[in-house]
Amino acid sequence: MKVAFISLGCAKNLVNTEQMMALVQQAGHTITSEPDGADVAVLNTCGFIDSAKSEAIDNILALGALKGEGRLGKLLVAGCLSQRYQDEILTEMPEVDGILGTGSYTDVVPALEALASGAHPRYFGDIQHTDEDGARVVTSPAYTAYLKIAEGCSNGCAFCIIPKLRGRYRSRTMASLLAEAKGLADRGARELLVIAQDITRYGEDLKDGSNLEGLLKELCKLPFHWIRLHYLYPEAVTDSLIETIASEPKILHYLDIPIQHCNDRILSAMRRRTSKAQLLSLFDKLRAAMPDVVIRTSIICGLPGETEAEFEELCDFLREVKLQRAGIFQYSREEGTLAAAMEDQVDEETAKRRVELLVDLQSRVMDGYNEERLGTVMEVLCEGFDREAGCYVGRTYADSVEVDGKVFFTAAGVIPAGTFVPVRITGVSDGDLTGEIEA
């Protein structure tokens, strides 16, 4: 059977897709990324917020059209959208032939066999107990790989549906992680991205002494050049963790710390565990320990009850702390969350305007950071030659995969993808840096 895989959403979802691909491959089927001509397309969806749901539905409809033209056999939908809207998908989307919930990624092969027999499989296993240690068909470039260290989340933020879709926080054992990391290094990975919904709470549930600091120290013994961290929740970033990050040369001084807001009342309504004073203290500590630290964060505009004064406080906060990277999101009212039932829902137009204002503010912060790079020499991970730009393209430690900017640079010789090179920064272009390789 020829099986196509399409993965939507976050890198954590991509890892689940790669695990399904390995199981399908082990069962003797052929893997393809192109649904046109496939016997089955497996669409692994995100269902976190409205924009993700819309993307998933658009993909289902497009694949359904391909089926209608006789260019695709069956459609199996997996992931968060399936988990959240299983009944609606089966009753309202005839394009879908079968579904897998987030507790049933490992049932992908039986589901394919059921589809082949003409059945309509519907697998929804226990989301609190999933196998996260299986083999993967790694789809990222050889020089970059993700290491998913935990599944689920127990933080219970008022705006977030993830615990209901993915279950409670569950750490993988350190032995399984180190074995997988070694395999990724042996495959040629030079950059390792350590990911989970909240990596700072790694090991708390294992009760065996495992923690993020210990895991990072072990990972640093493997032949990676860069180790990048996503996400660290601010209340769980301890002084000892800061010391570990600052003292290990392989761990990048790029920290993804979602704060969501700064106003104390809004933070409390969000059920976040920090105050504005604690956030300011944390950023001061990080910058004292690592003067070159680049902090990425996530911000939500328009939570129910957010006043103009509270939004202005957020603007002032971001102007003051100058976080170099930020994802700005409009509050999405998700059924099943505490925030969905809150009074004083902010109207769509106001929330959208606030997002636009913050995006503009943050772009100026980013421009200021980029301008400070002019004339400096930065280590760049080359990602290949960009034919459209006519030069090489890569990323610095300050730029994570897909979410941040690029460096476009010239070089006299051939620079293979995955090579680390020194680049003198000579310009800024639409948020990206330009430069030339330093001889």
Side-chain angles (χ1 to χ4, degrees), residues 51-226:
S51 58
K53 288 182 284 186
S54 296
E55 181 186 26
I57 291 169
D58 288 345
N59 273 267
I60 290 171
L61 296 176
L63 292 168
L66 206 61
K67 280 179 57 184
E69 297 170 5
R71 295 159 59 191
L72 170 64
K74 303 282 187 178
L75 173 57
L76 180 65
V77 176
C80 290
L81 192 78
S82 295
Q83 186 69 35
R84 191 171 183 186
Y85 299 110
Q86 50 186 282
D87 293 329
E88 291 88 341
I89 290 172
L90 287 178
T91 58
E92 299 175 17
M93 306 199 77
E95 299 89 350
V96 177
D97 300 295
I99 55 177
L100 299 176
T102 57
S104 291
Y105 288 116
T106 51
D107 292 318
V108 62
V109 172
L112 292 177
E113 293 169 350
L115 287 174
S117 69
H120 294 273
R122 179 175 179 169
Y123 290 94
F124 286 89
D126 183 1
I127 64 172
Q128 308 295 349
H129 300 88
T130 53
D131 181 7
E132 303 297 330
D133 295 339
R136 295 162 54 192
V137 175
V138 180
T139 57
S140 53
Y143 51 82
T144 295
Y146 296 100
L147 182 68
K148 183 179 176 183
I149 67 174
E151 177 58 284
C153 185
S154 300
N155 289 329
C157 298
F159 53 82
C160 184
I161 196 68
I162 285 176
K164 292 186 177 181
L165 302 182
R166 292 283 182 167
R168 297 183 301 272
Y169 193 88
R170 308 179 302 284
S171 302
R172 296 175 57 193
T173 65
M174 192 173 297
S176 70
L177 290 171
L178 294 177
E180 181 174 334
K182 183 179 183 304
L184 294 171
D186 291 345
R187 178 179 176 268
R190 307 293 310 284
E191 177 186 34
L192 185 73
L193 292 93
V194 179
I195 61 171
Q197 190 61 34
D198 176 0
I199 66 172
T200 33
R201 288 185 167 82
Y202 172 74
E204 288 182 2
D205 56 311
L206 296 178
K207 310 299 183 185
D208 64 357
S210 298
N211 59 31
L212 181 61
E213 295 167 51
L215 174 62
L216 292 177
K217 289 176 181 177
E218 292 301 314
L219 290 174
C220 286
K221 296 176 183 177
L222 296 172
F224 299 111
H225 189 73
W226 282 355

Side-chain angles (χ1 to χ4, degrees), residues 288-364:
M290 297 168 278
D292 64 340
V293 69
V294 167
I295 299 171
R296 179 172 184 84
T297 196
S298 301
I299 301 291
I300 293 176
C301 293
L303 189 86
E306 182 188 53
T307 66
E308 282 296 325
E310 289 165 339
F311 173 69
E312 284 300 325
E313 181 182 349
L314 176 60
C315 293
D316 291 341
F317 178 87
L318 293 176
R319 290 188 191 98
E320 176 186 351
V321 297
K322 289 184 170 55
L323 304 179
Q324 299 95 328
R325 305 283 187 258
I328 312 297
F329 301 94
Q330 183 173 329
Y331 167 72
S332 180
R333 188 177 188 179
E334 300 298 323
E335 68 272 18
T337 63
L338 292 173
M342 290 178 180
E343 298 180 354
D344 300 324
Q345 296 283 327
V346 175
D347 68 88
E348 188 87 5
E349 185 177 333
T350 298
K352 183 178 179 181
R353 175 181 59 81
R354 291 175 181 175
V355 168
E356 291 172 348
L357 288 170
L358 274 195
V359 167
D360 184 62
L361 186 159
Q362 273 302 127
S363 68
R364 293 196 295 272

Side-chain angles (χ1 to χ4, degrees), residues 374-387:
L374 294 175
T376 67
V377 176
M378 302 188 74
E379 184 178 51
V380 171
L381 170 57
C382 178
E383 295 185 305
F385 190 83
D386 187 310
R387 295 190 179 280

